[in-house]
Amino acid sequence: MLIAAVAAILAADPQLPRWHYVPSPHNWMNDPNGPFYDPIHKKYHLFAQYKTPREWSHAVSDDLLHWVNLPVALSTDEPYDKGGVYSGSATTLKNGTTILSYAVWTNDKQCLASPTNLSDPNFTEWTKYPGNPVITTATGAPPGRDPTTAWHSADGSLYRMAYGTTSGAVVFSSHDFIHWNETGYLHNSVSGQWECPDFFPLPNPAPNATHLLKASTKGRDYWLIGTYNDTTVKFTPQYSEMGELPSTLFDQGKYYASKSFWDPVKMRQVIFGWVAEERQVDDQGAPYGWASVQTLPRSITLDVSRMPYVIKTKPIEEMAGLRNASTHYTHAATQVQDTIVFPAPLAGVSLEIDMLVEGTCTLDIRVSSASTERTSIQIDSTQHTLSIDTTHSSLNETGSVTQAAIPNTQGAVQVQVYTDRSIIEVFVADSVTVMTRRIYPTKEDAVGVSISRSGTSCTLSKLDSWQLNDAM
């Protein structure tokens, strides 16, 4: 009865997202872990850091949007992980078996787990390798954590896997995925501790940009593009170093500890990111009963039309499947002079808004009566900036202003906005600039949307919107 009562309270929570991944039973969540696709049972899997001490939550999906929560996959049931099962990845071996590789709380061990029952279509239970840890500082390995998905050596004889250290990403190699030898550093760095690294070939490579190396460091998630030499097992970045340039951030807002995987169904690299709360919670999610969400799934592509090259992370095409067709709204091209308050159905707590704007325009969402609550998204195509102002988003929270550069484009700028109760994700200029924030409106009528001129001019060339259906 108590569990049912708590579930009912959480279901009624106006801040709880309805199509972003949140584990259940609700509790604390942070890093996404080990996403992969199982081609035998045709299911996507997603894990995440869950509860305190950390365990791995587990969910499966047919489309990366509608997730079914399963029991905890990895719990703190061994002496070496009693303080927490930390982040990691999934690798599908040559024999088709998927192995989870993960770190533990002591920052000195890398471990493995595999499905207990391969005939179970959900891989509900996971068994830790009895010889864990397979990499440890006790045998000379550098301290560090969060192993990557493994890749093959050029001749196919070796698996290679990296994890983050205070000096960059160190690589280990293995013939059998059990016995590992240190190979050297994939890339050295002086940027501090690297967390949750990723390394993979780009889906659409260019001659001097064939691979992407990602790290969570300095509290943000950065990418480097460059080339990889399999003989030396070295990555050479095209430009900059990890954590140097704001333009190499995956997301300019609330976003960290991301994890990606190769989706063989759509031949794309898909990434999830952890979006923490922007309100006070403890490490069990109190006082709200839950904490944090994962971003909508985004596909990673290299944009070679810009110099220097940039990485774009776009909402996956399946997002269109959440649109409620009956709520489709369009607005004709308009020279915005005063505030335009859009009519229903462009109103609500879960929306997709696609528009083209030029000049200095402010889109207000989740607007209450008398605008006592509102979240302001300003696009300035003349100064080439995007800003999100949450200082009036909630009567209960202080909020802040986050600003980032957008590409210097000729003419109108494309803007996509996704809202899901307490999270907003904004994609600008075909997803070259992305910004995620958390908002916490308190008023039931905080569902309005408007656009206004906030400079000398604002032209709205196109607007399409939809209310989005629940998926969780």
Side-chain angles (χ1 to χ4, degrees):
M1 292 295 291
L2 179 60
I3 293 176
V6 171
I9 292 172
L10 289 169
D13 185 343
Q15 312 300 352
L16 185 67
R18 300 300 199 273
W19 52 263
H20 286 79
Y21 174 67
V22 177
S24 180
H26 299 296
N27 203 292
W28 170 274
M29 177 180 65
N30 51 292
D31 312 2
N33 292 154
F36 73 94
Y37 178 74
D38 169 23
I40 304 299
H41 303 105
K42 296 180 170 52
K43 290 184 182 294
Y44 294 98
H45 291 252
L46 178 63
F47 306 84
Q49 294 283 279
Y50 180 50
K51 300 184 178 180
T52 303
R54 301 290 184 261
E55 301 177 327
W56 276 30
S57 68
H58 183 199
V60 294
S61 173
D62 295 326
D63 60 4
L64 290 171
L65 297 176
H66 297 82
W67 293 99
V68 176
N69 279 292
L70 300 173
V72 166
L74 300 176
S75 60
T76 54
D77 55 4
E78 296 289 347
Y80 56 81
D81 61 23
K82 64 180 181 180
V85 179
Y86 278 14
S87 289
S89 303
T91 300
T92 300
L93 306 186
K94 296 175 184 178
N95 65 7
T97 301
T98 297
I99 303 294
L100 303 180
S101 55
Y102 60 95
V104 296
W105 64 294
T106 47
N107 206 46
D108 62 355
K109 300 176 181 69
Q110 316 303 320
C111 303
L112 305 176
S114 59
T116 305
N117 179 4
L118 292 175
S119 64
D120 174 5
N122 291 328
F123 294 159
T124 306
E125 296 182 358
W126 293 77
T127 299
K128 295 174 183 176
Y129 175 58
N132 279 341
V134 295
I135 300 173
T136 171
T137 57
T139 56
R145 57 183 178 270
D146 310 338
T148 64
T149 296
W151 67 97
H152 294 291
S153 59
D155 63 6
S157 65
L158 293 171
Y159 294 102
R160 303 199 196 279
M161 182 170 67
Y163 62 85
T165 75
T166 56
S167 301
V170 64
V171 178
F172 280 71
S173 299
S174 172
H175 289 282
D176 58 8
F177 220 82
I178 294 173
H179 302 91
W180 296 87
N181 295 304
E182 185 176 347
T183 308
Y185 275 79
L186 181 65
H187 186 62
N188 290 99
S189 173
V190 293
S191 62
Q193 176 68 54
W194 282 20
E195 297 182 294
C196 306
D198 257 347
F199 180 65
F200 52 86
L202 286 162
N204 57 328
N208 57 346
T210 61
H211 286 69
L212 183 148
L213 177 63
K214 171 261 168 181
S216 302
T217 185
K218 301 179 181 178
R220 313 294 293 276
D221 274 25
Y222 293 89
W223 54 261
L224 292 177
I225 52 177
T227 56
Y228 170 65
N229 186 316
D230 182 71
T231 302
T232 60
V233 196
K234 297 293 184 185
F235 170 81
T236 302
Q238 183 189 54
Y239 61 92
S240 83
E241 285 297 333
M242 197 69 77
E244 284 187 351
L245 299 177
S247 59
T248 61
L249 284 165
F250 277 94
D251 191 300
Q252 303 286 335
K254 198 72 173 176
Y255 181 98
Y256 194 65
S258 57
K259 180 57 60 175
S260 73
F261 76 104
W262 176 249
D263 176 12
V265 179
K266 297 291 181 71
M267 304 296 287
R268 60 190 175 182
Q269 194 79 20
V270 177
I271 191 167
F272 293 89
W274 166 40
V275 186
E277 297 297 319
E278 294 191 48
R279 59 183 179 179
Q280 290 296 314
V281 293
D282 70 12
D283 60 8
Q284 299 289 353
Y288 306 105
W290 63 281
S292 307
V293 300
Q294 304 298 340
T295 60
L296 63 80
R298 306 169 182 179
S299 62
I300 298 174
T301 57
L302 176 69
D303 186 348
V304 298
S305 69
R306 305 173 191 274
M307 294 299 294
Y309 299 159
V310 296
I311 289 296
K312 300 191 294 190
T313 56
K314 305 177 68 171
I316 62 171
E317 61 188 39
E318 289 89 337
M319 283 298 303
L322 294 183
R323 295 170 178 169
N324 183 332
S326 67
T327 66
H328 183 207
Y329 172 81
T330 61
H331 194 86
T334 305
Q335 190 71 30
V336 180
Q337 299 296 337
D338 300 309
T339 299
I340 298 173
V341 178
F342 296 110
L346 181 42
V349 299
S350 182
L351 299 169
E352 177 190 345
I353 303 171
D354 299 344
M355 61 183 188
L356 287 171
V357 294
E358 187 174 358
T360 308
C361 306
T362 297
L363 180 74
D364 285 325
I365 62 172
R366 300 299 306 272
V367 182
S368 69
S369 58
S371 296
T372 53
E373 290 186 333
R374 64 188 184 278
T375 296
S376 300
I377 304 165
Q378 185 185 87
I379 301 93
D380 189 336
S381 67
T382 59
Q383 297 299 313
H384 318 300
T385 60
L386 161 69
S387 66
I388 299 180
D389 183 351
T390 65
T391 57
H392 297 94
S393 296
S394 172
L395 298 179
N396 290 343
E397 306 294 334
T398 303
S400 63
V401 179
T402 303
Q403 187 176 84
I406 64 175
N408 184 353
T409 58
Q410 297 296 319
V413 178
Q414 180 197 32
V415 182
Q416 286 181 285
V417 179
Y418 291 86
T419 72
D420 184 10
R421 280 69 180 178
S422 63
I423 179 173
I424 58 172
E425 297 175 74
V426 180
F427 301 81
V428 177
D430 198 27
S431 302
V432 172
T433 302
V434 182
M435 188 179 292
T436 302
R437 295 294 306 271
R438 301 298 304 276
I439 58 174
Y440 307 99
T442 63
K443 301 178 75 65
E444 289 187 7
D445 66 355
V447 296
V449 179
S450 64
I451 192 169
S452 58
R453 175 172 59 86
S454 42
T456 57
S457 67
C458 169
T459 302
L460 176 63
S461 302
K462 179 183 81 76
L463 184 144
D464 285 274
S465 71
W466 297 263
Q467 293 181 20
L468 298 178
N469 295 319
D470 293 353
M472 289 292 294

